[in-house]
Amino acid sequence: GAGVSQSPRYKVAKRGQDVALRCDPISGHVSLFWYQQALGQGPEFLTYFQNEAQLDKSGLPSDRFFAERPEGSVSTLKIQRTQQEDSAVYLCASSRGYGTGELFFGEGSRLTVL
Amino acid sequence: AQSVTQLGSHVSVSEGALVLLRCNYSSSVPPYLFWYVQYPNQGLQLLLKYTSAATLVKGINGFEAEFKKSETSFHLTKPSAHMSDAAEYFCAVSTSGNTPLVFGKGTRLSVIA
C-alpha cells in the first residue's frame, strides 16, 4: 500500500481481555517498529523487527506484551490480560533500513482499557 | 543513553510570526537528530533530519533547524507561521546503526489568526 496501515484504529477492551493490534507496513520496508504513546507524551519505543527477526524488544513493558512478524511483512502486537495502564495509542512505523531515522508512521491504534 | 528535552509543552504564536521550538539532546556519541510533526488524527511525519552533514538543515513546509554541538541543541524554526502549522512537534535522537529513535515529549504549536 501507499502508507503504513494499522487496525483497528480504535479498540475498547475490558480489563483482563486480550487484544491484538495489526500493522501493515509499506511494501518492501525491511524494518518495523512499535511505539506506545500515552496521552500528552512522546512515543516510547517498544520493539523492533528486521524482516521476521525481532532484534530488540527491550521496550516491552511486561511479559503481557508480545509482538510477531512471522513472514517479514505484517506485524501483530498482542497484549494479554489488559490493564488500565495499557491505555495508549500504539504506533507502528516502518523504514527501508535501520538507523536512517526516516520512519514512516501509521495513524496508530488507540486502545482504551476500562 | 541518549535523551531529548523539549522546552515548552505548548507554544502559541500569531499568524506570520516567527516559530521557535526548542530541543536539547543528550548523547554520548555524535547523534542523528530529527523533527517529526503530528497533525490531529494523523501519523507522525518527518519534517527534517540532521545526519552530520550541514549543520543547518532545511525541511518541508519552510521549517529549518540548526545543529549546535556546543549547546547540544537542535531548535526548529520557521520565519512566518501559517494556520496550517498548528500541530504537535516531536524532536528525536538516535545514534547510527543499532539504536531506536528516542522521542521528546512534544510541543503543541497553536497559531492565532
Side-chain angles (χ1 to χ4, degrees):
Chain A
V4 177
S5 178
Q6 292 188 246
S7 61
R9 289 290 314 280
Y10 303 92
K11 176 69 178 178
V12 178
K14 293 183 179 179
R15 190 173 57 180
Q17 278 186 327
D18 297 349
V19 300
L21 307 176
R22 175 189 168 106
C23 174
D24 203 336
I26 292 173
S27 178
H29 276 193
V30 169
S31 299
L32 186 145
F33 302 79
W34 284 99
Y35 282 81
Q36 180 190 59
Q37 186 176 19
L39 189 64
Q41 301 295 315
E44 297 271 351
F45 171 76
L46 292 178
T47 187
Y48 157 69
F49 290 86
Q50 189 169 55
N51 296 308
E52 69 279 3
Q54 189 175 22
L55 298 186
D56 187 344
K57 54 181 181 180
S58 61
L60 296 177
S62 77
D63 59 7
R64 296 186 295 103
F65 286 71
F66 173 76
E68 61 183 4
R69 193 186 186 198
E71 297 179 358
S73 178
V74 171
S75 177
T76 303
L77 176 67
K78 298 179 180 178
I79 309 173
Q80 298 177 322
R81 304 182 303 282
T82 53
Q83 304 294 316
Q84 284 189 322
E85 62 263 28
D86 299 336
S87 296
V89 177
Y90 291 86
L91 301 171
C92 177
S94 69
S95 71
R96 294 185 185 87
Y98 188 49
T100 65
E102 192 157 1
L103 302 185
F104 294 82
F105 282 84
E107 294 177 332
S109 292
R110 181 179 297 277
L111 172 65
T112 303
V113 181
L114 303 177
Chain B
Q2 63 267 31
S3 66
V4 167
T5 302
Q6 290 186 243
L7 297 176
S9 60
H10 185 207
V11 170
S12 185
V13 300
S14 298
E15 191 174 20
L18 172 71
V19 175
L20 171 60
L21 304 182
R22 299 178 186 274
C23 172
N24 288 89
Y25 69 91
S26 172
S27 176
S28 58
V29 298
Y32 287 17
L33 293 160
F34 310 84
W35 277 98
Y36 280 80
V37 60
Q38 187 176 32
Y39 298 103
N41 298 315
Q42 295 187 27
L44 279 78
Q45 178 184 0
L46 180 67
L47 263 183
L48 49 81
K49 65 178 181 180
Y50 165 76
T51 56
S52 77
T55 56
L56 182 63
V57 182
K58 294 187 183 299
I60 61 172
N61 301 335
F63 284 93
E64 62 183 33
E66 185 172 9
F67 172 68
K68 292 187 177 180
K69 184 178 179 180
S70 61
E71 299 177 8
T72 61
S73 69
F74 191 58
H75 301 331
L76 181 71
T77 61
K78 181 174 180 177
S80 176
H82 191 272
M83 298 296 289
S84 60
D85 294 328
E88 188 90 21
Y89 291 80
F90 295 94
C91 184
V93 62
S94 78
T95 57
S96 61
N98 58 0
T99 57
L101 280 185
V102 174
F103 286 85
K105 292 187 176 183
T107 298
R108 179 168 299 279
L109 175 66
S110 298
V111 182
I112 304 167

